[in-house]
């Protein structure tokens, strides 16, 4: 990918102001949206995922003193740390994504170079499109570029996930970092979280992916996420499985009475959602309207009734999306509990769709949603001069 001059101009100006001189290295990593497969990743299941054309850039210039000086242009905040004494910083959570990745990479024995860096992101924060993974993967890419070594993308994703799990303290699965590192321009990925393999899935030309941000804060996401994960693990343990991936929908239905009622509901959602991922991976290239509609509707129903990751704003948004012109199907995205949702819309109707959804969502909630089309962008990498 080449450096887009409109954005780099602004970042270069900002770099000059903060650090004097100009950046020498430009790295980027995208956010993601899951097209199908909520919470299946930590159950070692499937996800159909898309790296989007909203990304985080780091414009960097190496230093010789093993210091990392950061400026976040979005938050207009700075943070500085030494590569030989990396600690988390309270009140500067964003910097912990960078610090965490530095610490994990150093732990791997990789040679790290300090740098001055401006961070600039077009991935909205706290909305479920993985702005944190984008920052982690952009950071790892920056250390690669400055250090003159290179990790394979899956290893890079795993190390970034480690940073998030152990340094930032969020027990997420591999989905976000995998998509940000491995994503491909022009297609979705069908990711198998058991062996971390993936294959490209090209959507039919006529399908436009549209993000519908409810703008409702994802307050429960943190605590409830851990709870869901624990319930799935309990279900797997009681069923004698390594992970929920290992049981079919039919067998689970037969054995559900072995599980406490709530655990059974959670497990049913995951096992059925896994099947839906495979279904949608076939329906999107074939432009099978009916299947797209049914699978996405069933995913949302299960997310609300069985996995209970819905929110009032999501129901309002779902209604608006399903009534809008050009819609093929729609569902939740990310961890749920508010945040962004995703719609599959006929190309050419995306504008009318957005106008309709905006109007109806606002009328019901008095909240201005954000509606925008996205396309599949390349995974994390170094950008070349234009
Ligand atoms: C968050 C986590 C991911 C995944 C999704 C839900 O984005 O970071 O690992 O579990 O939620 O699918």
């Amino acid at each position: 990918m080449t450096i887009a001059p409109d954005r780099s101009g602004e970042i270069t100006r900002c770099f000059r102001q903060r650090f004097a001189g100009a950046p020498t290295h430009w790295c980027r990593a995208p956010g993601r949206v899951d097209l199908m497969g909520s919470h299946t990743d930590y159950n070692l299941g499937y996800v159909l995922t898309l790296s989007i054309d909203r990304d985080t850039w780091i414009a960097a210039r190496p230093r010789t003193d093993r210091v990392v000086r950061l400026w976040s242009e979005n938050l207009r905040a700075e943070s500085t740390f030494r590569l030989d004494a990396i600690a988390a910083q309270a009140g500067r959570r964003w910097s912990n994504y960078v610090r965490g990745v530095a610490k994990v990479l150093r732990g791997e024995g990789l040679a790290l170079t300090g740098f001055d860096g401006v961070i600039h992101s077009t991935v909205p924060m706290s909305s479920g499109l993985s702005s944190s993974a984008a920052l982690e993967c952009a950071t790892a890419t920056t250390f690669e570029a400055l250090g003159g070594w290179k990790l394979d993308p899956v290893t890079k994703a795993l190390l970034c996930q480690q940073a998030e799990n152990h340094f930032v303290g969020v027990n997420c699965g591999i989905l976000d970092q995998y998509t940000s590192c491995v994503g491909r321009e022009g297609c979705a990925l069908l990711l198998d979280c058991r062996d971390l393999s993936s294959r490209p899935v090209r959507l039919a030309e006529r399908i436009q992916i549209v993000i519908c941000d409810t703008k409702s804060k994802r307050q429960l996401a943190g605590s409830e996420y851990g709870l869901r994960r624990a319930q799935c693990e309990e279900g797997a343990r009681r069923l004698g499985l390594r992970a929920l991936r290992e049981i079919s929908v039919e067998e689970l239905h037969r054995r559900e009475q072995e599980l406490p009622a709530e655990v059974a509901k959670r497990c049913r959602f995951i096992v059925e959602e896994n099947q839906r991922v495979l279904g949608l991976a076939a329906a999107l290239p074939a432009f099978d309207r009916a299947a797209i509609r049914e699978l996405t509707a069933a995913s949302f129903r299960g997310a609300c009734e069985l996995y209970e990751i819905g929110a009032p704003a999501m129901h309002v948004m779902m209604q608006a999306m399903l009534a809008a012109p050009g819609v093929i199907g729609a569902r939740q995205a990310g961890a749920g509990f508010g945040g962004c949702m995703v719609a599959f819309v006929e190309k050419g109707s995306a504008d009318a769709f957005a106008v309709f959804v905006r109007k109806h969502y606002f009328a019901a909630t008095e909240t201005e949603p954000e509606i925008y089309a996205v396309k599949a962008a390349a995974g994390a990498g170094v950008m070349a001069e234009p």
Side-chain angles (χ1 to χ4, degrees), residues 57-280:
W57 286 17
I58 299 180
R61 184 186 54 199
R63 297 172 59 102
T64 51
D65 57 1
R66 298 189 57 71
V67 166
V68 175
R69 274 208 300 168
L70 304 167
W71 172 256
S72 161
E73 180 58 8
N74 299 75
L75 298 168
R76 306 209 55 78
E78 55 148 20
S79 181
T80 299
F81 67 94
R82 306 184 58 79
L83 286 171
D84 298 314
I86 305 174
Q89 189 182 23
R92 283 272 194 278
R93 189 180 167 88
W94 62 272
S95 87
N96 291 337
Y97 296 110
V98 179
R99 290 163 187 250
V101 169
K103 188 149 189 177
V104 168
L105 295 178
R106 204 191 56 184
E108 291 296 298
L110 293 159
L112 301 191
T113 306
F115 64 91
D116 294 327
V118 168
I119 302 166
H120 180 265
S121 186
T122 57
V123 187
M125 274 172 250
S126 307
S127 68
L129 299 179
S130 295
S131 58
S132 44
L135 178 52
E136 288 157 2
C137 301
T139 298
T141 306
T142 304
F143 280 120
E144 280 180 330
L146 297 175
W149 41 266
K150 206 161 162 35
L151 297 165
D152 79 88
V154 177
T155 305
K156 184 154 86 175
L158 285 165
L159 295 173
C160 289
Q161 183 201 15
Q162 255 184 52
E164 176 124 10
N165 290 167
H166 304 307
F167 193 87
V168 180
V170 174
N171 199 18
C172 64
I174 190 63
L175 170 64
D176 309 344
Q177 292 80 7
Y178 190 100
T179 313
S180 189
C181 287
V182 184
R184 301 217 345 208
E185 190 175 350
C187 49
L189 294 181
L190 173 57
L191 161 62
D192 181 340
C193 298
R194 185 161 61 184
D195 64 8
L196 297 182
S197 65
S198 57
R199 73 168 171 81
V201 173
R202 204 167 279 281
L203 277 50
E205 264 305 309
R206 288 168 65 186
I207 300 173
Q208 174 67 60
I209 302 296
V210 180
I211 303 290
C212 298
D213 189 344
T214 62
K215 292 281 180 173
S216 98
K217 282 276 157 267
R218 300 180 310 148
Q219 276 137 357
L220 289 173
S223 53
E224 291 291 315
Y225 185 90
L227 247 164
R228 295 297 178 285
R229 195 169 174 161
Q231 288 173 319
C232 291
E233 282 160 9
E234 181 185 343
R237 200 169 49 245
R238 284 177 185 263
L239 294 166
L241 310 167
R242 185 166 71 107
L244 290 177
R245 160 65 178 279
E246 288 164 4
I247 191 165
S248 66
V249 175
E250 297 72 28
E251 194 185 346
L252 179 67
H253 287 177
R254 252 185 286 120
R255 295 184 60 191
E256 254 180 42
Q257 70 287 355
E258 295 171 36
L259 302 173
E262 198 167 77
V263 171
K265 284 204 296 185
R266 308 296 191 240
C267 294
R268 194 181 332 146
F269 171 72
I270 294 299
V271 173
E272 291 176 351
E273 182 82 345
N274 251 333
Q275 278 305 113
R276 287 190 284 264
V277 175
L278 301 178
L280 196 69

Side-chain angles (χ1 to χ4, degrees), residues 38-49:
S38 292
H39 294 257
T40 46
D41 65 343
Y42 53 79
N43 290 297
L44 306 189
Y46 298 110
V47 193
L48 188 62
T49 180

